[in-house]
Amino acid sequence: MKKSIRIWDLPTRIFHWLFAFTIIGSIVTIQLGEQQLHAYCGYTALILIFFRIIWGLIGPFHIRFVNFIPTWSKLRAYLQGISFGGLGHNPLGALSVIALIFIPLVQGLTGLFIDDDIAFTGPLSKFISNDLVSTLSSIHRINSNLIYGVIGLHVVAILYYLIFKRKNLIKPMINGDQLLSEEHSEKKSLEPLPQSSKDDWQVRVLALFIVLSLSVIFWYFVLS
Ligand code: HEM
Ligand code: HEM
């Protein structure tokens, strides 16, 4: 029987599917003209992004940025086929994760200062000049194209792995575990030896505490 190890802890898996839901929710609600609902989706997405950034600094092993953001040499070794890329994100996937977090972060932050020139203003737009409001509103509209692009690429890449490389990345994002394949013994890995991500109740309670604290801080400083 093949061995598997925990890569995605429960909080990261919940983060991922809630994040996908809120980003898709933001797109659907704005297309339907439901600006208030759109704003609520945006606020939730922002809190999730802040959580993921904190989790990337202090979270379990494979989730921490230092353990998956590639150096140039690791990226080169992966592209030349010398390294299989390690567990969790491969070096190319890691770059897409940065885009999937950073582009929605810009979208969410600019949304807080938006003015649609009709009836809706973001909760923080009253604190900055009209010129800056109009610049940030334009960035919000232009950056939405990057959102479509990065999500499209993300889903296409996952389907490509599934269909052409026969590698199911979706299952680990549901049950948390990745199978240790033959690649781990056949090719020289530049990654540290396989290590699991911690995923016990302490980790889960800590994640919940961070999300609740972020929600209170966000509500106090942005919405009240
Ligand atoms: C709006 C939609 C989506 C967004 C914003 C999004 C965002 C992300 C992010 C930020 C990660 C990195 C996870 C982390 O380290 O925290 C990720 C990974 C992943 N996502 Fe999504 N996602 C979306 C939709 C989907 C969908 C629809 C699927 C399934 C078809 C999916 C499957 C995956 C998988 C399998 C991974 C792990 C990839 C790997 O092994 O490197 N995502 N996604
Ligand atoms: C990560 C979160 C967010 C995403 C993914 C997102 C996405 C989008 C998208 C795709 C559009 C349509 C742009 C266009 O076609 O021109 C849009 C417009 C808009 N968004 Fe967001 N948004 C987010 C956060 C927010 C927030 C937090 C607010 C305000 C509180 C906000 C307020 C608006 C408004 C008012 C518009 C209409 C702009 C106009 O037509 O002038 N958004 N957003």
Side-chain angles (χ1 to χ4, degrees):
M1 211 178 83
K2 277 189 182 169
K3 245 189 113 191
S4 64
I5 68 163
R6 179 59 44 101
I7 298 286
W8 313 113
D9 54 290
L10 184 65
T12 302
R13 282 175 275 151
I14 295 177
F15 152 80
H16 176 267
W17 295 113
L18 277 181
F19 188 46
F21 183 76
T22 53
I23 297 291
I24 293 169
S26 304
I27 295 170
V28 171
T29 48
I30 201 67
Q31 301 306 333
L32 295 174
E34 295 286 346
Q35 293 188 330
Q36 200 53 53
L37 268 182
H38 174 78
Y40 286 129
C41 287
Y43 301 146
T44 315
L46 264 179
I47 291 170
L48 290 169
I49 294 171
F50 292 139
F51 163 75
R52 183 60 184 93
I53 292 172
I54 295 175
W55 215 224
L57 299 173
I58 64 164
F61 186 82
H62 291 282
I63 305 309
R64 256 179 271 153
F65 298 129
V66 285
N67 291 332
F68 74 81
I69 294 181
T71 56
W72 281 118
S73 60
K74 276 188 186 170
L75 188 59
R76 217 177 315 119
Y78 176 73
L79 293 175
Q80 289 169 347
I82 301 169
S83 157
F84 72 88
L87 294 161
H89 300 296
N90 66 45
L92 269 188
L95 296 183
S96 82
V97 174
I98 305 304
L100 281 163
I101 293 173
F102 183 73
I103 293 171
L105 174 65
V106 170
Q107 193 71 4
L109 289 178
T110 52
L112 299 180
F113 299 93
I114 208 166
D115 186 341
D116 73 346
D117 294 329
I118 307 171
F120 188 93
T121 51
L124 300 183
S125 41
K126 56 181 177 284
F127 297 112
I128 58 170
S129 69
N130 289 345
D131 278 355
L132 195 50
V133 165
S134 109
T135 307
L136 295 176
S137 304
S138 301
I139 295 177
H140 195 79
R141 285 178 211 117
I142 295 164
N143 194 55
S144 63
N145 298 308
L146 293 183
I147 296 260
Y148 298 136
V150 82
I151 293 172
L153 263 179
H154 180 55
V155 175
V156 167
I158 284 154
L159 293 179
Y160 169 80
Y161 269 90
L162 188 65
I163 298 165
F164 296 105
K165 294 199 147 193
R166 305 229 163 268
K167 187 167 179 186
N168 187 341
L169 299 171
I170 304 170
K171 208 170 152 205
M173 206 26 123
I174 295 170
N175 67 17
D177 295 334
Q178 188 170 321
L179 284 177
L180 290 175
S181 66
E182 289 78 35
E183 288 167 308
H184 292 84
S185 50
E186 280 170 9
K187 290 195 182 177
K188 185 173 169 283
S189 165
L190 300 181
E191 303 296 316
L193 281 173
Q195 180 175 340
S196 324
S197 284
K198 206 170 167 219
D199 192 14
D200 56 16
W201 286 104
Q202 271 174 319
V203 166
R204 294 168 183 181
V205 169
L206 176 65
L208 189 63
F209 175 75
I210 295 171
V211 171
L212 290 179
S213 308
L214 284 172
S215 308
V216 172
I217 293 169
F218 191 86
W219 177 79
Y220 185 78
F221 285 103
V222 179
L223 300 182
S224 70

